[in-house]
Amino acid sequence: MDSKKIQVRKTKNRGQGVFAQEHIKKGELIAEFDGEIYDWEDDRWTDELADHCIQFEEKKWRDSNGIARIINHSCEPNCGIKHLFQVVAMRDIFPDEEITWDYEMTENHPYWRMKCKCGTPSCRKIIGNYEHNMPPEIRKKYKGYISEWLAGKKFKKNE
């Protein structure tokens, strides 16, 4: 399910991105990870899948059949995750604004890392896992928009 209010366009420095064509209200569903499910030990697992699927259990990820897999990361996102697989607006999003979410809202594999290219003032430079990379103050800010599989777990940095 992809919102009719979004479109794929080229970004300045990150290849393709997803942009709002119309005003999107806080809480609106934008896209879903609704594709194949992969296990970490799956023979089909690749680095490309690791960078585009969403983690929803300790060793399980889900791909998208639509636009969700190409929504870019930002350390200052306008979207978050609800019900494990839904990308929803955390605030109102205006036309021509890029749709972004923080990949650490779902990822907790200890070895996965990605260089951040978001360029925001609060950029953390490296995208990693929720447990070790996401600062407690960011967790508080994202409350209600972190994947249920992580939000319910107890970690040292949890508040």
Side-chain angles (χ1 to χ4, degrees):
M1 192 259 82
D2 293 334
S3 170
K4 295 184 185 327
K5 296 181 178 182
I6 58 177
Q7 70 178 172
V8 177
R9 297 196 319 227
K10 191 163 179 68
T11 66
K12 292 177 185 173
N13 67 341
R14 298 185 281 176
Q16 290 185 324
V18 177
F19 292 81
Q21 294 185 101
E22 301 174 31
H23 179 251
I24 297 170
K25 292 182 181 176
K26 179 180 178 176
E28 272 191 65
L29 177 62
I30 296 186
E32 285 189 77
F33 285 85
D34 56 356
E36 283 198 61
I37 292 174
Y38 297 90
D39 185 278
W40 177 252
E41 296 165 357
D42 193 314
D43 290 341
R44 302 171 298 157
W45 188 251
T46 64
D47 288 344
E48 194 267 340
L49 285 170
D51 290 347
H52 292 92
C53 291
I54 190 171
Q55 190 173 6
F56 68 95
E57 286 182 15
E58 207 62 48
K59 294 183 178 183
K60 291 195 184 263
W61 286 260
R62 189 169 195 183
D63 203 350
S64 172
N65 290 321
I67 259 173
R69 81 181 327 261
I70 59 171
I71 296 174
N72 285 318
H73 164 87
S74 177
C75 294
E76 294 179 18
N78 51 24
C79 293
I81 303 299
K82 291 278 192 182
H83 310 294
L84 296 178
F85 304 115
Q86 296 178 342
V87 180
V88 299
M90 290 176 22
R91 62 167 176 76
D92 284 2
I93 301 171
F94 300 96
D96 295 321
E97 191 174 346
E98 186 176 5
I99 305 296
T100 60
W101 63 284
D102 187 330
Y103 294 172
E104 289 180 9
M105 291 173 166
T106 63
E107 301 306 309
N108 207 50
H109 193 279
Y111 305 113
W112 182 81
R113 298 278 184 278
M114 178 184 278
K115 183 177 179 183
C116 185
K117 299 178 185 177
C118 77
T120 62
S122 63
C123 181
R124 297 189 303 273
K125 309 296 183 220
I126 297 291
I127 308 162
N129 71 44
Y130 175 84
E131 182 177 5
H132 299 292
N133 288 65
M134 187 180 282
E137 63 275 9
I138 301 296
R139 292 179 190 194
K140 284 182 187 176
K141 180 180 169 184
Y142 294 165
K143 188 173 181 168
Y145 295 99
I146 293 172
S147 180
E148 292 172 359
W149 93 273
L150 290 174
K153 291 181 85 162
K154 296 292 179 197
F155 299 108
K156 293 176 194 170
K157 293 183 180 180
N158 271 4
E159 298 303 295

